């Protein structure tokens, strides 16, 4: 069952001639080969032939599976194995194409099953009472300063940061997801980090399927799929919070290691460091997961579904996912909703993490978009962002008083 990246030209010629006889194709091998080269569908190197782009390979495998699905029961078992292993780029690409080529309900039903199966032992995090212990680790929100700099320069910096983040994510994938995969590999006994990465890959691919096929689904089906995607992302977050709580000894060792590096000796200072590190881990992971699910499922044709899902499930986490989609992908700053969350939504204001996450999303929006000064100042005041000009004035005022 060896996976071939390329094939010798002689073997490719034998394959083509066999295929041409079966399909009664009169085009010679040399003519067909030249056409494939000119169309850049294939390439040749050192007398070996390979496809010029992975997506072409994905398409043709998906097309083969689609044609066989109604006739061969073993194909259904193959689809199950592919969907169980969406963390493999090849399998994910094939499933995305397959979902577009074939409307057989088995494909989406199997996808639904495995989206719902990941971390099904956890309830989705609402970022409310389920985070009360972690949330209590800080007494006030840390300061966040919006720099007064050119928007274009900030965008360049953001692109650079994203490229660096993608490279770190790639390295993490390479560490936990082996490139030497087998479609029959045993999925039992994998580590929590493997499970988390694989679940993230699953909701990313499911989001792609929803976005690419939005026109084929009724409204209630779209709502259901959006809800499933939101739920999976927040079950992953619940699993991560549980991981933090159940690995207290390892965390303590790490905190003492960091304290030693920073030459922090006093027990009070070490406790303060510990609380800050745990809170930072939780808030950064929450922010990253919300960004990921927003990236995965965002599409303007799904806006009504986002609205309906949050209306029916008004948790802090779902509100933040929707706002992240609006700010990061629809390019809108929903001032009225942000005002309502920060001033009137009691459940949202009970906890520090949701407020920090909202503040971070607003900060990113203001960092990347040219917003009029008055509007920028107003929204910064609402969410608790300090503008650099304001901080300079405050600092100067203090110096004059002294």
């Amino acid at each position: 069952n060896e996976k071939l990246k390329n094939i010798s030209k002689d073997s490719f010629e034998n394959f083509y001639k066999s295929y041409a006889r079966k399909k009664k194709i009169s085009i010679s091998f040399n003519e067909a080969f030249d056409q494939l080269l000119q169309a850049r569908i294939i390439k040749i190197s050192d007398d070996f032939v390979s496809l010029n782009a992975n997506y072409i390979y994905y398409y043709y495998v998906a097309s083969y599976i689609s044609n066989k699905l109604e006739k061969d029961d073993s194909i259904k078992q193959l689809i199950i194995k592919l969907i169980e292993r969406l963390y493999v780029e090849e399998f994910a690409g094939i499933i995305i194409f397959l979902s577009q080529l074939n409307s057989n309900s088995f494909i989406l039903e199997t996808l639904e099953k495995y989206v719902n199966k990941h971390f099904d032992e956890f309830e989705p995090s609402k970022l409310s009472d389920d985070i009360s212990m972690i949330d209590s680790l800080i007494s006030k929100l840390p300061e966040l300063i919006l720099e007064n700099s050119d928007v274009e320069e900030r965008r360049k910096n953001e692109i650079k940061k994203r490229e660096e983040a993608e490279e770190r994510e790639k390295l993490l994938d390479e560490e936990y997801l082996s490139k030497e995969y087998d479609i029959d590999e045993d999925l039992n006994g994998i580590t929590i980090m493997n499970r988390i990465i694989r679940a993230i890959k699953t909701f990313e691919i499911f989001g792609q399927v929803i976005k690419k096929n939005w026109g084929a689904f009724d409204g209630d089906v779209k709502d259901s799929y959006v809800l499933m995607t939101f739920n999976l992302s927040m079950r992953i977050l619940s699993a991560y919070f549980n991981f933090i709580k159940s690995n207290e000894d390892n965390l303590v060792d790490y905190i003492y290691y960091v304290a030693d590096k920073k030459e922090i000796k006093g027990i009070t200072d070490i406790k303060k460091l510990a609380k800050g590190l745990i809170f930072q881990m939780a808030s950064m992971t929450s922010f990253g997961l919300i960004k990921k699910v927003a990236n995965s499922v965002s599409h303007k044709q799904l806006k009504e579904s986002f609205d309906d899902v949050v209306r029916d499930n008004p948790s802090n986490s779902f509100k933040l996912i929707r706002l992240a989609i609006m700010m990061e992908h629809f390019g809108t700053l929903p001032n009225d909703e942000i005002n309502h969350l920060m001033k009137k939504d009691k459940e949202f204001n009970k906890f520090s993490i949701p407020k920090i996450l909202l503040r971070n999303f607003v900060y990113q929006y203001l960092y990347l978009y040219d917003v009029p000064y008055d509007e920028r100042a107003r929204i910064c005041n609402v969410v608790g962002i300090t503008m650099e000009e304001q901080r300079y004035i405050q600092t100067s005022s203090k110096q004059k008083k002294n």
Side-chain angles (χ1 to χ4, degrees), residues 226-282:
V226 167
L227 177 61
M228 286 165 56
T229 311
F230 283 17
N231 274 338
L232 174 53
S233 67
M234 291 301 101
R235 288 201 306 274
I236 296 169
L237 189 56
S238 290
Y240 181 77
F241 290 152
N242 182 71
F243 174 75
I244 291 177
K245 293 172 189 174
S246 59
N247 282 270
E248 187 176 339
D249 291 343
N250 290 335
L251 276 173
V252 168
D253 290 342
Y254 174 69
I255 287 160
Y256 273 104
Y257 168 78
V258 174
D260 185 58
K261 287 283 186 184
K262 293 178 176 284
E263 297 185 352
I264 298 172
K265 303 298 181 184
I267 189 68
T268 302
D269 291 335
I270 290 175
K271 283 183 177 178
K272 184 179 178 181
L273 173 68
K275 289 179 179 180
L277 283 173
I278 293 170
F279 185 87
Q280 188 179 36
M281 288 167 62

